[in-house]
Amino acid sequence: MAITYVALTTITVGSGGVSSISFTSIPQTYTDLLMLFSVRNNTNEANGWANIRTRFNSDSGNNYTNRLIAGRGAGVDTGSNSGTGLVYHYSCDPNATPNTFSNGSLYIPNYTSSNTKAVTCDSVTENNATEAIRALGANLWSGTSAITSITCDINAGGNINEHSTFTLYGIKNTV
C-alpha cells in the first residue's frame, strides 16, 4: 500500500508575531492529517519553553484529554490533564538558547470519522543553558465532528514569534 503525503498549507509567521495561527477549510478527502511545526514564542517561562495549545473546529470547551512522557533536563516527567485544548507539544521562548526553535509534529488519524479523535504529539526544544524537553503526548479530542479547522496558540499567553512555521499535510492511503 502506498502512502501519499500532500502539503495542504504552510503558515509562516511574519514580522511582530501573532497570537494564533489557523488552518481552515481542511479538505475531507484524506485519511489522516499531519501537522509539522517549528516554533518560538515570547512568554518568558522559567524553563525556556511553553505549551502550544491546539484546538479543533473552534472548540474551546473542556473536551481535550492529554497524557505525557518526557525527558527534561536530567529527569523524566509524566503527566495528564484535561482542558480546553491539546497540550504537551512545546515551543522555545526567550529563556531558551537565542534563535532556536522547537520542532514537532501532531498526527491525527481518521480525522473525518464520527468518533472521538486520538492525536499523537512529538516535540523537542533546545536550550544549551539549562534544560530542554523531549516530549511524547497521547491526546484525545472528545468531539465527534470531522475536523475542518485547526488553531494553535501559546497556552501561557503571548505571541508565536516571527519565522515560526506550521505545515499541514493530508495523508492518503492508496492500494
Side-chain angles (χ1 to χ4, degrees):
M1 168 173 32
I3 299 177
T4 304
Y5 289 72
V6 177
L8 302 175
T9 306
T10 296
I11 297 170
T12 301
V13 176
S15 179
V18 295
S19 61
S20 66
I21 63 94
S22 294
F23 296 102
T24 59
S25 303
I26 297 171
Q28 302 296 290
T29 54
Y30 298 93
T31 54
D32 305 336
L33 295 174
L34 174 67
M35 184 181 76
L36 300 180
F37 58 87
S38 177
V39 182
R40 191 165 174 94
N41 73 78
N42 68 351
T43 61
N44 282 313
E45 298 297 305
N47 294 317
W49 43 265
N51 284 305
I52 299 168
R53 176 176 49 199
T54 300
R55 294 176 171 157
F56 302 123
N57 298 352
S58 300
D59 180 359
S60 60
N62 193 23
N63 298 314
Y64 302 85
T65 304
N66 305 281
R67 304 276 189 265
L68 167 74
I69 185 166
R72 177 178 163 194
V76 175
D77 281 351
T78 60
S80 64
N81 72 29
S82 60
T84 60
L86 300 180
V87 292
Y88 297 144
H89 44 299
Y90 295 95
S91 169
C92 292
D93 75 13
N95 290 317
T97 302
N99 303 312
T100 61
F101 287 69
S102 67
N103 292 285
S105 66
L106 269 75
Y107 190 81
I108 310 163
N110 302 313
Y111 74 103
T112 62
S113 78
S114 58
N115 297 318
T116 59
K117 311 298 185 289
V119 180
T120 60
C121 302
D122 180 2
S123 66
V124 63
T125 65
E126 179 168 339
N127 191 349
N128 294 332
T130 57
E131 68 178 43
I133 189 165
R134 168 71 171 99
L136 296 173
N139 309 282
L140 181 70
W141 176 49
S142 298
T144 56
S145 301
I147 294 172
T148 58
S149 69
I150 300 171
T151 301
C152 296
D153 64 10
I154 303 302
N155 197 40
N159 278 347
I160 300 168
N161 286 7
E162 179 180 8
H163 304 300
S164 295
T165 60
F166 297 79
T167 301
L168 185 65
Y169 292 86
I171 300 173
K172 188 171 278 196
N173 295 325
T174 60
V175 180

